[in-house]
Amino acid sequence: MYKNLFMSVAVMATCISANAQKAATDYKGSDNSNPISANVFCADPTALEYNGRLYVYGSNDHQEFLANGKKGDNSYGNIKSIVVFSTDDMVNWTFHGTIDTKKLCSGWQPSVWYKGYGVSWAPSVTWRHNEETDVDEFFLYFCNSSHGVGVLRAESPIGPWKSPNKELMITYDTPGANKQGTNANFDPGVTIDDNGVGWISFGGLGPSTMMPEAARIIKLKPSMTEVDGSAVKIHAPYHFEANELNVIGGKYVYTYCSNWASRSETASEWNTYKSEHGITTSAPDACTMCYMVSDNPSDPDSWVYKGVYGPHPGNGTNNNHSHLQKFQGSYYHIYHNAVLKETLKAAGAIDGSAGIYRSLCVNKVSVDESTATISQSSTSLTGVTQIKNVNPYELQQMETMASCGGVEYEDITNIKRNTKISTLGNDASENMQVKMKVGSWINVRKVDFGKTGADRIVLRAKGTGTIGIRFTTSSSPKNIVATIELSSTELEDYIIDLPVAKLDKFKGVEDNLYFVVTEGEDVYVDSWKFLETGSTSIQEMSSSKSSNSQLYDLSGRRLSGAQQYRGIVIEQYTDENGVRHSRKVLSSKE
């Protein structure tokens, strides 16, 4: 039994001093869903759907940005980790931190042409349920510069990840692969077909011609960590990089970025290609996302060019990389651009020398599954429509947000120190905390308080300061409807009674919920949850619906029965169907 032993903290009046510090600038835009993060640069997306959430992974441009002192060109040489985000509504995204590939792969063996681990670019991810072991398995592939492709394995979409091999999985020595000194073996794209067989595409940087012949595809062994046989060519016109794979309607769909070859000089060659392959589509513009379809991926002549589905992203970006993902019955085009970097530079918020630091964006796209035909997507900053409301009565991570200003993360990229990665599942994240100062704010969109409404909030935080709650985009102090006073050196759970005079504000669907620091410096916030009016406990747990329950603290340490611990903890349990779960609950030892 969990019960509330915390004393409610008195809530201040709704008026905040008119001379309170100005709120941090909104560089994303209150009407925009793109980019998905207002404070983390990330590129080369890949994605998977798992247990009702969409997980998106990408190259960690932010690591390069910080390593370069927030200025200068992006050479990609400091990208040694992979960023992870997730969502269940397509607008509010949870930042799960990073996968430290440098630490995981530092023991890779060198060869005569390969010096070992160097960087991690352009990930591609997939998962399956292993019937033999009854375990969900996740496989994350990435390229080590142009040398080849490595793989990581986990039993959760956020890890912990391990390198199952002592070296790259695909190298210059792989049968059928590109050879050293010519084209690159990079930018992997993985899929598992309807028969449970894994396939991976790779290759790029061929000559600037209509048919560079740098694209490859190879079957994977059942382990998904070794190749099976020899790679074959995909005769992809104007191919450059950014390979990805999907299976749609039983057909294999290969996507890639087009090159900069002169279309006028290759016009005759293109007309011949169209005639030979019985197609009528035009040649793709440079730096667009193209796709091909096949019934037999190991037959180079089976691949049919279908056209462009993703335009040049613009916004100061000179490259293109995207992933086509089905989630909750709809298809999405996930890609990168440099709009956030351009906006920050224009406002003088970052150095004018900052190069192409990219951001992830999502737009909806139409797909005819019966023919594996993809309509061309837009790249609007408005982005996608939120597909479900946020439930404020479920524990929410503070690093789940639609936008923010002046916000940082503790242990954002594993650059300064390694993060202790929890093994407890999705809810545990990586024990991320949001760091805020005066003027910092976080925006969560479309929060449904229901007809009954809320009368309290539970906020897990530390530091000394004041956090205000408002429901409008206006940062005027008069719009604060409740405040929370913080005073602690360690994370504590503040249970706050909402102002009686303002309870009508905490009913129905609010388009915007803002948490803003109005006083204090270096305030850290971990999670929040509202309590419905009339509720008598923080978290009800029925022993009849779960078994083998075990508690852990937020850093992943198991709590024994003898340990006195109160606050938010991780409960790992098995439900009545035998499925293991992990969730955060508010606990107090009796």
PDB file of all heavy atoms in Angstrom, residues 458-483:
ATOM      1  N   VAL A 458       1.863  16.895  -8.121  1.00  0.00           N
ATOM      2  CA  VAL A 458       3.064  16.305  -7.541  1.00  0.00           C
ATOM      3  C   VAL A 458       4.220  16.648  -8.474  1.00  0.00           C
ATOM      4  O   VAL A 458       4.201  16.296  -9.652  1.00  0.00           O
ATOM      5  CB  VAL A 458       2.944  14.774  -7.398  1.00  0.00           C
ATOM      6  CG1 VAL A 458       4.191  14.214  -6.716  1.00  0.00           C
ATOM      7  CG2 VAL A 458       1.689  14.405  -6.642  1.00  0.00           C
ATOM      8  N   LEU A 459       5.206  17.339  -7.953  1.00  0.00           N
ATOM      9  CA  LEU A 459       6.361  17.753  -8.750  1.00  0.00           C
ATOM     10  C   LEU A 459       7.620  17.241  -8.078  1.00  0.00           C
ATOM     11  O   LEU A 459       7.853  17.515  -6.896  1.00  0.00           O
ATOM     12  CB  LEU A 459       6.409  19.271  -8.869  1.00  0.00           C
ATOM     13  CG  LEU A 459       7.431  19.838  -9.849  1.00  0.00           C
ATOM     14  CD1 LEU A 459       6.930  19.698 -11.284  1.00  0.00           C
ATOM     15  CD2 LEU A 459       7.720  21.303  -9.555  1.00  0.00           C
ATOM     16  N   ARG A 460       8.427  16.494  -8.810  1.00  0.00           N
ATOM     17  CA  ARG A 460       9.698  16.018  -8.273  1.00  0.00           C
ATOM     18  C   ARG A 460      10.791  16.960  -8.747  1.00  0.00           C
ATOM     19  O   ARG A 460      11.033  17.093  -9.946  1.00  0.00           O
ATOM     20  CB  ARG A 460       9.996  14.581  -8.711  1.00  0.00           C
ATOM     21  CG  ARG A 460      11.285  14.029  -8.111  1.00  0.00           C
ATOM     22  CD  ARG A 460      11.422  12.530  -8.348  1.00  0.00           C
ATOM     23  NE  ARG A 460      12.668  12.026  -7.822  1.00  0.00           N
ATOM     24  CZ  ARG A 460      12.900  11.725  -6.555  1.00  0.00           C
ATOM     25  NH1 ARG A 460      11.938  11.891  -5.663  1.00  0.00           N
ATOM     26  NH2 ARG A 460      14.065  11.255  -6.150  1.00  0.00           N
ATOM     27  N   ALA A 461      11.466  17.618  -7.805  1.00  0.00           N
ATOM     28  CA  ALA A 461      12.422  18.658  -8.173  1.00  0.00           C
ATOM     29  C   ALA A 461      13.430  18.874  -7.060  1.00  0.00           C
ATOM     30  O   ALA A 461      13.294  18.338  -5.951  1.00  0.00           O
ATOM     31  CB  ALA A 461      11.680  19.958  -8.473  1.00  0.00           C
ATOM     32  N   LYS A 462      14.458  19.656  -7.370  1.00  0.00           N
ATOM     33  CA  LYS A 462      15.415  20.105  -6.367  1.00  0.00           C
ATOM     34  C   LYS A 462      15.901  21.497  -6.739  1.00  0.00           C
ATOM     35  O   LYS A 462      15.772  21.941  -7.874  1.00  0.00           O
ATOM     36  CB  LYS A 462      16.593  19.137  -6.234  1.00  0.00           C
ATOM     37  CG  LYS A 462      17.567  19.147  -7.406  1.00  0.00           C
ATOM     38  CD  LYS A 462      18.741  18.226  -7.136  1.00  0.00           C
ATOM     39  CE  LYS A 462      19.741  18.229  -8.306  1.00  0.00           C
ATOM     40  NZ  LYS A 462      20.903  17.356  -8.035  1.00  0.00           N
ATOM     41  N   GLY A 463      16.478  22.178  -5.736  1.00  0.00           N
ATOM     42  CA  GLY A 463      16.943  23.541  -5.941  1.00  0.00           C
ATOM     43  C   GLY A 463      16.133  24.510  -5.110  1.00  0.00           C
ATOM     44  O   GLY A 463      15.222  24.119  -4.367  1.00  0.00           O
ATOM     45  N   THR A 464      16.455  25.773  -5.231  1.00  0.00           N
ATOM     46  CA  THR A 464      15.733  26.824  -4.518  1.00  0.00           C
ATOM     47  C   THR A 464      15.182  27.808  -5.545  1.00  0.00           C
ATOM     48  O   THR A 464      15.938  28.386  -6.322  1.00  0.00           O
ATOM     49  CB  THR A 464      16.650  27.575  -3.542  1.00  0.00           C
ATOM     50  OG1 THR A 464      17.177  26.637  -2.598  1.00  0.00           O
ATOM     51  CG2 THR A 464      15.892  28.661  -2.808  1.00  0.00           C
ATOM     52  N   GLY A 465      13.876  27.953  -5.556  1.00  0.00           N
ATOM     53  CA  GLY A 465      13.264  28.834  -6.528  1.00  0.00           C
ATOM     54  C   GLY A 465      11.769  28.659  -6.578  1.00  0.00           C
ATOM     55  O   GLY A 465      11.162  28.010  -5.719  1.00  0.00           O
ATOM     56  N   THR A 466      11.164  29.226  -7.607  1.00  0.00           N
ATOM     57  CA  THR A 466       9.722  29.192  -7.778  1.00  0.00           C
ATOM     58  C   THR A 466       9.388  28.788  -9.205  1.00  0.00           C
ATOM     59  O   THR A 466       9.944  29.337 -10.168  1.00  0.00           O
ATOM     60  CB  THR A 466       9.093  30.566  -7.476  1.00  0.00           C
ATOM     61  OG1 THR A 466       9.455  30.971  -6.158  1.00  0.00           O
ATOM     62  CG2 THR A 466       7.578  30.500  -7.580  1.00  0.00           C
ATOM     63  N   ILE A 467       8.494  27.827  -9.345  1.00  0.00           N
ATOM     64  CA  ILE A 467       8.007  27.410 -10.661  1.00  0.00           C
ATOM     65  C   ILE A 467       6.551  27.817 -10.780  1.00  0.00           C
ATOM     66  O   ILE A 467       5.734  27.516  -9.902  1.00  0.00           O
ATOM     67  CB  ILE A 467       8.149  25.893 -10.855  1.00  0.00           C
ATOM     68  CG1 ILE A 467       9.630  25.505 -10.900  1.00  0.00           C
ATOM     69  CG2 ILE A 467       7.446  25.436 -12.128  1.00  0.00           C
ATOM     70  CD1 ILE A 467       9.878  24.025 -11.063  1.00  0.00           C
ATOM     71  N   GLY A 468       6.236  28.514 -11.854  1.00  0.00           N
ATOM     72  CA  GLY A 468       4.865  28.930 -12.107  1.00  0.00           C
ATOM     73  C   GLY A 468       4.210  28.056 -13.167  1.00  0.00           C
ATOM     74  O   GLY A 468       4.882  27.505 -14.046  1.00  0.00           O
ATOM     75  N   ILE A 469       2.895  27.923 -13.085  1.00  0.00           N
ATOM     76  CA  ILE A 469       2.106  27.178 -14.076  1.00  0.00           C
ATOM     77  C   ILE A 469       1.202  28.155 -14.796  1.00  0.00           C
ATOM     78  O   ILE A 469       0.518  28.976 -14.167  1.00  0.00           O
ATOM     79  CB  ILE A 469       1.260  26.085 -13.403  1.00  0.00           C
ATOM     80  CG1 ILE A 469       2.159  25.058 -12.711  1.00  0.00           C
ATOM     81  CG2 ILE A 469       0.352  25.391 -14.423  1.00  0.00           C
ATOM     82  CD1 ILE A 469       1.393  24.030 -11.890  1.00  0.00           C
ATOM     83  N   ARG A 470       1.186  28.093 -16.133  1.00  0.00           N
ATOM     84  CA  ARG A 470       0.259  28.904 -16.915  1.00  0.00           C
ATOM     85  C   ARG A 470      -0.248  28.094 -18.103  1.00  0.00           C
ATOM     86  O   ARG A 470       0.345  27.086 -18.471  1.00  0.00           O
ATOM     87  CB  ARG A 470       0.913  30.212 -17.375  1.00  0.00           C
ATOM     88  CG  ARG A 470       2.176  30.076 -18.192  1.00  0.00           C
ATOM     89  CD  ARG A 470       2.708  31.466 -18.560  1.00  0.00           C
ATOM     90  NE  ARG A 470       4.054  31.448 -19.095  1.00  0.00           N
ATOM     91  CZ  ARG A 470       4.375  31.256 -20.382  1.00  0.00           C
ATOM     92  NH1 ARG A 470       3.415  31.049 -21.264  1.00  0.00           N
ATOM     93  NH2 ARG A 470       5.630  31.262 -20.775  1.00  0.00           N
ATOM     94  N   PHE A 471      -1.355  28.567 -18.700  1.00  0.00           N
ATOM     95  CA  PHE A 471      -1.999  27.854 -19.804  1.00  0.00           C
ATOM     96  C   PHE A 471      -2.024  28.666 -21.090  1.00  0.00           C
ATOM     97  O   PHE A 471      -2.710  28.299 -22.040  1.00  0.00           O
ATOM     98  CB  PHE A 471      -3.428  27.475 -19.433  1.00  0.00           C
ATOM     99  CG  PHE A 471      -3.520  26.480 -18.304  1.00  0.00           C
ATOM    100  CD1 PHE A 471      -4.190  26.792 -17.140  1.00  0.00           C
ATOM    101  CD2 PHE A 471      -2.934  25.233 -18.416  1.00  0.00           C
ATOM    102  CE1 PHE A 471      -4.289  25.877 -16.094  1.00  0.00           C
ATOM    103  CE2 PHE A 471      -3.007  24.310 -17.382  1.00  0.00           C
ATOM    104  CZ  PHE A 471      -3.684  24.636 -16.225  1.00  0.00           C
ATOM    105  N   THR A 472      -1.290  29.730 -21.147  1.00  0.00           N
ATOM    106  CA  THR A 472      -1.295  30.591 -22.319  1.00  0.00           C
ATOM    107  C   THR A 472       0.121  30.790 -22.827  1.00  0.00           C
ATOM    108  O   THR A 472       1.086  30.673 -22.073  1.00  0.00           O
ATOM    109  CB  THR A 472      -1.928  31.964 -22.005  1.00  0.00           C
ATOM    110  OG1 THR A 472      -1.782  32.829 -23.138  1.00  0.00           O
ATOM    111  CG2 THR A 472      -1.248  32.611 -20.810  1.00  0.00           C
ATOM    112  N   THR A 473       0.226  31.087 -24.125  1.00  0.00           N
ATOM    113  CA  THR A 473       1.546  31.359 -24.697  1.00  0.00           C
ATOM    114  C   THR A 473       2.113  32.681 -24.208  1.00  0.00           C
ATOM    115  O   THR A 473       3.315  32.904 -24.292  1.00  0.00           O
ATOM    116  CB  THR A 473       1.473  31.377 -26.236  1.00  0.00           C
ATOM    117  OG1 THR A 473       0.505  32.355 -26.654  1.00  0.00           O
ATOM    118  CG2 THR A 473       1.063  30.018 -26.784  1.00  0.00           C
ATOM    119  N   SER A 474       1.269  33.537 -23.711  1.00  0.00           N
ATOM    120  CA  SER A 474       1.731  34.819 -23.189  1.00  0.00           C
ATOM    121  C   SER A 474       2.528  34.604 -21.910  1.00  0.00           C
ATOM    122  O   SER A 474       2.089  33.881 -21.004  1.00  0.00           O
ATOM    123  CB  SER A 474       0.543  35.745 -22.895  1.00  0.00           C
ATOM    124  OG  SER A 474       0.969  36.908 -22.202  1.00  0.00           O
ATOM    125  N   SER A 475       3.684  35.240 -21.822  1.00  0.00           N
ATOM    126  CA  SER A 475       4.547  35.076 -20.649  1.00  0.00           C
ATOM    127  C   SER A 475       4.294  36.130 -19.582  1.00  0.00           C
ATOM    128  O   SER A 475       5.059  36.256 -18.630  1.00  0.00           O
ATOM    129  CB  SER A 475       6.021  35.128 -21.070  1.00  0.00           C
ATOM    130  OG  SER A 475       6.320  36.377 -21.686  1.00  0.00           O
ATOM    131  N   SER A 476       3.215  36.883 -19.722  1.00  0.00           N
ATOM    132  CA  SER A 476       2.904  37.906 -18.724  1.00  0.00           C
ATOM    133  C   SER A 476       2.718  37.271 -17.353  1.00  0.00           C
ATOM    134  O   SER A 476       2.048  36.243 -17.219  1.00  0.00           O
ATOM    135  CB  SER A 476       1.622  38.644 -19.116  1.00  0.00           C
ATOM    136  OG  SER A 476       1.198  39.505 -18.070  1.00  0.00           O
ATOM    137  N   PRO A 477       3.326  37.860 -16.301  1.00  0.00           N
ATOM    138  CA  PRO A 477       3.199  37.287 -14.948  1.00  0.00           C
ATOM    139  C   PRO A 477       1.756  37.117 -14.493  1.00  0.00           C
ATOM    140  O   PRO A 477       1.455  36.224 -13.690  1.00  0.00           O
ATOM    141  CB  PRO A 477       3.940  38.299 -14.069  1.00  0.00           C
ATOM    142  CG  PRO A 477       4.920  38.953 -15.007  1.00  0.00           C
ATOM    143  CD  PRO A 477       4.218  39.030 -16.324  1.00  0.00           C
ATOM    144  N   LYS A 478       0.838  37.939 -15.009  1.00  0.00           N
ATOM    145  CA  LYS A 478      -0.559  37.855 -14.566  1.00  0.00           C
ATOM    146  C   LYS A 478      -1.224  36.555 -15.022  1.00  0.00           C
ATOM    147  O   LYS A 478      -2.311  36.205 -14.526  1.00  0.00           O
ATOM    148  CB  LYS A 478      -1.344  39.056 -15.081  1.00  0.00           C
ATOM    149  CG  LYS A 478      -1.545  39.082 -16.586  1.00  0.00           C
ATOM    150  CD  LYS A 478      -2.329  40.301 -17.018  1.00  0.00           C
ATOM    151  CE  LYS A 478      -2.571  40.312 -18.533  1.00  0.00           C
ATOM    152  NZ  LYS A 478      -3.331  41.511 -18.960  1.00  0.00           N
ATOM    153  N   ASN A 479      -0.585  35.835 -15.957  1.00  0.00           N
ATOM    154  CA  ASN A 479      -1.171  34.593 -16.461  1.00  0.00           C
ATOM    155  C   ASN A 479      -0.776  33.365 -15.649  1.00  0.00           C
ATOM    156  O   ASN A 479      -1.237  32.260 -15.945  1.00  0.00           O
ATOM    157  CB  ASN A 479      -0.774  34.384 -17.925  1.00  0.00           C
ATOM    158  CG  ASN A 479      -1.411  35.409 -18.843  1.00  0.00           C
ATOM    159  OD1 ASN A 479      -2.583  35.725 -18.697  1.00  0.00           O
ATOM    160  ND2 ASN A 479      -0.634  35.942 -19.770  1.00  0.00           N
ATOM    161  N   ILE A 480       0.058  33.529 -14.641  1.00  0.00           N
ATOM    162  CA  ILE A 480       0.419  32.417 -13.762  1.00  0.00           C
ATOM    163  C   ILE A 480      -0.790  32.040 -12.908  1.00  0.00           C
ATOM    164  O   ILE A 480      -1.371  32.882 -12.223  1.00  0.00           O
ATOM    165  CB  ILE A 480       1.600  32.794 -12.847  1.00  0.00           C
ATOM    166  CG1 ILE A 480       2.841  33.135 -13.683  1.00  0.00           C
ATOM    167  CG2 ILE A 480       1.899  31.666 -11.868  1.00  0.00           C
ATOM    168  CD1 ILE A 480       3.438  31.985 -14.416  1.00  0.00           C
ATOM    169  N   VAL A 481      -1.201  30.772 -12.954  1.00  0.00           N
ATOM    170  CA  VAL A 481      -2.388  30.342 -12.207  1.00  0.00           C
ATOM    171  C   VAL A 481      -2.031  29.571 -10.940  1.00  0.00           C
ATOM    172  O   VAL A 481      -2.900  29.348 -10.094  1.00  0.00           O
ATOM    173  CB  VAL A 481      -3.311  29.480 -13.095  1.00  0.00           C
ATOM    174  CG1 VAL A 481      -3.866  30.301 -14.241  1.00  0.00           C
ATOM    175  CG2 VAL A 481      -2.586  28.252 -13.619  1.00  0.00           C
ATOM    176  N   ALA A 482      -0.787  29.158 -10.804  1.00  0.00           N
ATOM    177  CA  ALA A 482      -0.356  28.482  -9.577  1.00  0.00           C
ATOM    178  C   ALA A 482       1.163  28.531  -9.527  1.00  0.00           C
ATOM    179  O   ALA A 482       1.832  28.604 -10.566  1.00  0.00           O
ATOM    180  CB  ALA A 482      -0.836  27.036  -9.544  1.00  0.00           C
ATOM    181  N   THR A 483       1.714  28.501  -8.324  1.00  0.00           N
ATOM    182  CA  THR A 483       3.165  28.510  -8.164  1.00  0.00           C
ATOM    183  C   THR A 483       3.593  27.436  -7.174  1.00  0.00           C
ATOM    184  O   THR A 483       2.837  27.039  -6.288  1.00  0.00           O
ATOM    185  CB  THR A 483       3.679  29.879  -7.660  1.00  0.00           C
ATOM    186  OG1 THR A 483       3.049  30.178  -6.418  1.00  0.00           O
ATOM    187  CG2 THR A 483       3.377  30.972  -8.661  1.00  0.00           C
TER     188      THR A 483
END
